Amino acid sequence: SLAYSISMPKSARSKSSRSKSKARVLSSLVVYRGPAFWVSFAEVLEPTGVRARRDIVHHTGSVVILGVEQGPGEPRILLERQYRHAAQSFLWELPAGRIDKGEKDLAAAKRELLEETGYTAKRWKRILRFYASPGFVAETMAIFLAQNLRSGTAQPEADEVIQVRMVPLSKAVRMVMSGRIFDGKTIAGVLWLAQQKTKPKPRR
């Protein structure tokens, strides 16, 4: 098992809420290193006073692109559909990909959008940053809002077969709420945009 659940007394929990120190790594070992991620286990002394073994999947981080096309009606979102073997299913997702070593996250976002969809964008803004699964995965994800899109020729990797579609925001929200969109990063991006559209406009 990659995760360990360890209980602690109430006194330790209350002390942990006041502590801002980092965990002390007593020992660590990389047990797997692959092209996309590496795995290590470490014995740590955490700021709460808990001493435990933690197994961690390490990753250089990922970018997610919320491509939005403004029209005469509601905005449309750029979605892609591809097979994900880990989920054993075809999933609707926002374009996304890994940040290469030494690469800036914005540069990675621009590269991934072009490679996977053929689109480029004139306006970029980072809107969210979060951990994908912080219990045992060290991967962070940054979602970028990409606007003023221009279509072009996609440049997918040899093992990527991607279907691209522009989906109205209201339909994308329905896909999230009905379970047709099952991917966490995409759910976050779609609902963020929907929330922005329902914010009351400031008074002038």
Side-chain angles (χ1 to χ4, degrees):
S1 173
L2 287 177
Y4 295 82
S5 176
I6 297 177
S7 61
M8 64 178 112
K10 290 182 179 180
S11 59
R13 287 200 297 270
S14 60
K15 183 183 290 186
S16 70
S17 64
R18 299 191 299 268
S19 176
K20 294 184 179 179
S21 61
K22 293 184 178 180
R24 214 174 119 208
V25 179
L26 305 176
S27 64
S28 65
L29 178 67
V30 175
V31 294
Y32 170 79
R33 188 176 292 277
F37 61 88
W38 64 102
V39 180
S40 72
F41 70 79
E43 186 177 0
V44 298
L45 182 61
E46 297 182 345
T48 59
V50 169
R51 179 170 176 161
R53 169 179 158 162
R54 301 299 187 194
D55 295 329
I56 304 295
V57 178
H58 301 269
H59 193 278
T60 54
S62 296
V63 289
V64 185
I65 302 92
L66 178 60
V68 177
E69 186 176 73
Q70 298 290 346
E74 65 178 313
R76 298 193 302 163
I77 298 173
L78 182 62
L79 292 180
E80 55 186 38
R81 185 174 184 264
Q82 59 181 317
Y83 181 74
R84 294 297 199 181
H85 186 64
Q88 297 187 6
S89 180
F90 285 90
L91 299 182
W92 285 105
E93 303 177 49
L94 293 175
R98 186 179 66 216
I99 302 171
D100 290 337
K101 187 176 180 180
E103 187 178 33
K104 299 293 186 181
D105 55 2
L106 178 57
K110 292 180 177 180
R111 173 179 56 76
E112 288 292 344
L113 180 64
L114 177 62
E115 288 178 359
E116 294 191 354
T117 71
Y119 277 86
T120 55
K122 287 186 178 180
R123 294 177 59 195
W124 291 85
K125 180 183 179 181
R126 192 172 75 177
I127 56 171
L128 292 174
R129 189 170 183 270
F130 55 92
Y131 282 99
S133 183
F136 64 95
V137 181
E139 177 185 13
T140 58
M141 287 189 166
I143 301 183
F144 282 87
L145 176 65
Q147 297 174 291
N148 295 104
L149 300 175
R150 172 179 280 185
S151 62
T153 304
Q155 305 164 24
E157 300 286 342
D159 62 348
E160 292 179 326
V161 180
I162 298 172
Q163 174 190 353
V164 176
R165 182 179 297 175
M166 282 288 185
V167 178
L169 174 59
S170 60
K171 181 178 179 179
V173 171
R174 290 196 301 271
M175 292 170 71
V176 168
M177 302 309 293
S178 65
R180 288 185 61 201
I181 290 180
F182 203 59
D183 172 63
K185 64 184 183 293
T186 304
I187 292 171
V190 169
L191 295 185
W192 178 90
L193 184 61
Q195 193 271 342
Q196 298 302 305
K197 296 301 177 184
T198 58
K199 272 185 178 179
K201 294 183 179 180
R203 295 180 181 179
R204 293 185 178 181

